[in-house]
Amino acid sequence: MNIDHIEAFLYVVHYKSIHKAANALFLSQPTVTARIKSLERELNVELFHRDGRSVILSDKGKDFVPFATQIVQTFQQGKKQLEETQESDEVCIGTNGVTAQYFLAYALPKWKNDFPHLRFQIITGSTAVILEKLQSHQIHLGLIQYVHREGICNELLLSNAVKLVMHHEHPFKQQKQIKAKELAQQKMVFFECGAFDWNYVHKMFEVEGVTANIEVRTDHLEVAKEFIRTKEYMSFLPHLCVKKELESGEFVEIDVKHLLDMNQHIFLTYKNKETLAPAFWKTIVETAVQFESIQENLN
C-alpha cells in the first residue's frame, strides 16, 4: 500500500475536491485521480461517488478514514524519529560560560579538523537551563555539572581545581594554617557559574560556627575578577580562569587545602548517543584528556 495514495485520499476527504487537493499537494489533478483509483483497486472498494466534478465520500470511504489517518500519522512519527537519530551536520552544545571559554575554545578547532562537515552551535546557561534544552531535544549534549534525572546520562569529562584568590595588594596577610573564622571576616564575591557545589564552601565556615561574608554574587567571570582587582575582595574561582593572573602575580592564591579541596566537575551529559556519530563522542573524551594533560604540564 502506497503512503502517497493514502495521503491523497485524506486530502480529497479534507478538501471535498480533487482539484483543491491537487493544489494543496502541488500535484496535477490527473495524478491525484490516478492515486485514488489505485487505492480503490487495492482495497477493492469505491471510496468516493463521482458526480461530475464533485466527489462524495462513500460509506466504505467513511469507514476507511480513521485507518488511513492512523497509517499516515504513524508513518510521519516514524519518519521524524529516524530523522532525529540520523547524524546531524550541526552539533548543538549547551554549557556554562567557563567551559565554553576555556575548554571549547581549545576543543572545537580540533573537532572541526577531524569532522570538517560539522557545524557547531554553543548555547551557554545555567545547569537548569541546559538540562531543559537537553530534555526538549534543543541540544545534542551538555557540558554541565552532574544532574540526576531519569533518562539523562552523565559521564565525568573534566575536573578543574577551584582556588581561593585575591589581589596581590589585598591587605589580608596569609598565614600557613589559616582558619575559616579569619576568612569569614573578609569580603567575598561568589562566582556562580552553575558548576560548583557551594555547599562545601558554606560547610567549611559552618564547622567553626561562622558565616562567609558574601557581599556580591555574580554569574559573570570578568565581573568577579574586577571585584578582586579592587583589592578588597577574594573569591573562589576555577584555576583555568585565573591561571594567567596567578602566573603574572596580579592575583595570589590563598592556601585553604587544609580546610577545603574543591574541584569543578564537568560532565558530558546526554539523552541519546545515537544522535551523533560514535567517532565524535570518542573524540570529545580524547580531547578532554589531552586538555587536562596540557594544563597539568603547565602547572
Side-chain angles (χ1 to χ4, degrees):
M1 188 172 291
N2 192 311
I3 195 73
D4 292 334
H5 296 173
I6 300 174
E7 186 178 49
F9 164 73
L10 290 175
Y11 268 72
V12 174
V13 170
H14 176 75
Y15 287 102
K16 299 181 177 62
S17 164
I18 291 179
H19 175 69
K20 292 180 180 179
N23 289 338
L25 289 167
F26 298 97
L27 297 172
S28 67
Q29 188 169 329
T31 298
V32 173
T33 299
R35 290 182 178 184
I36 297 297
K37 288 183 178 180
S38 294
L39 183 61
E40 288 178 324
R41 283 196 299 270
E42 190 169 3
L43 295 173
N44 196 31
V45 296
E46 187 178 41
L47 297 171
F48 296 98
H49 299 304
R50 279 83 172 171
D51 183 13
R53 293 185 177 183
S54 301
V55 289
I56 302 171
L57 194 62
S58 68
D59 290 340
K60 292 292 184 181
K62 292 177 182 178
D63 292 340
F64 184 61
V65 168
F67 296 101
T69 301
Q70 185 176 6
I71 290 170
V72 172
Q73 288 178 346
T74 301
F75 174 78
Q76 291 173 343
Q77 289 171 357
K79 182 179 179 182
K80 181 180 179 181
Q81 179 63 33
L82 290 174
E83 289 174 348
E84 290 179 352
T85 56
Q86 288 177 346
E87 294 182 14
S88 173
D89 287 337
E90 180 174 84
V91 179
C92 190
I93 302 171
T95 185
N96 60 67
V98 171
T99 304
Q101 183 175 350
Y102 292 93
F103 173 63
L104 289 182
Y106 165 85
L108 284 183
K110 295 183 177 297
W111 297 348
K112 186 66 178 177
N113 184 63
D114 292 343
F115 303 90
H117 67 287
L118 291 181
R119 294 173 290 109
F120 296 93
Q121 180 183 5
I122 309 300
I123 297 176
T124 59
S126 66
T127 295
V129 169
I130 299 304
L131 178 59
E132 181 183 348
K133 292 183 179 297
L134 190 64
Q135 291 182 306
S136 60
H137 303 281
Q138 296 180 55
I139 60 176
H140 292 96
L141 61 97
L143 301 178
I144 54 178
Q145 70 181 89
Y146 180 87
V147 291
H148 180 68
R149 191 68 59 88
E150 185 178 354
I152 297 296
C153 300
N154 300 272
E155 295 180 18
L156 181 60
L157 190 70
L158 295 165
S159 293
N160 182 18
V162 178
K163 307 286 187 179
L164 178 58
V165 298
M166 64 181 181
H167 193 271
H168 73 280
E169 294 183 10
H170 191 289
F172 180 76
K173 301 300 180 183
Q174 183 172 338
Q175 302 172 9
K176 288 185 178 180
Q177 290 291 319
I178 192 169
K179 297 180 180 179
K181 287 183 179 180
E182 295 169 318
L183 289 178
Q185 298 173 13
Q186 304 300 317
K187 295 180 181 180
M188 286 197 173
V189 52
F190 260 31
F191 172 52
E192 300 178 324
C193 67
F196 299 158
D197 186 350
W198 288 117
N199 287 326
Y200 288 109
V201 176
H202 292 299
K203 288 185 182 299
M204 179 184 75
F205 291 100
E206 288 175 3
V207 167
E208 294 197 31
V210 294
T211 304
N213 183 18
I214 304 170
E215 290 198 353
V216 181
R217 296 178 184 269
T218 178
D219 61 356
H220 198 292
L221 174 62
E222 293 305 318
V223 171
K225 287 184 179 181
E226 286 305 313
F227 271 93
I228 295 175
R229 291 188 174 103
T230 65
K231 307 171 187 178
E232 295 183 13
Y233 292 85
M234 54 182 63
S235 180
F236 286 95
L237 295 174
H239 182 230
L240 281 176
C241 303
V242 291
K243 192 171 183 300
K244 291 182 179 179
E245 288 84 357
L246 289 172
E247 289 175 348
S248 68
E250 181 185 11
F251 293 175
V252 294
E253 179 185 356
I254 304 171
D255 186 5
V256 292
K257 293 186 182 68
H258 58 290
L259 296 173
L260 176 70
D261 188 11
M262 188 167 70
N263 279 288
Q264 176 194 32
H265 295 299
I266 298 298
F267 288 81
L268 175 58
T269 309
Y270 56 89
K271 286 192 68 175
N272 182 4
K273 272 194 170 182
E274 294 181 1
T275 56
L276 298 170
F280 181 69
W281 292 103
K282 181 181 178 182
T283 297
I284 294 176
V285 176
E286 291 175 346
T287 307
V289 172
Q290 295 168 3
F291 178 75
E292 288 198 322
S293 177
I294 291 173
Q295 300 308 314
E296 288 176 3
N297 292 333
L298 291 175
N299 291 340

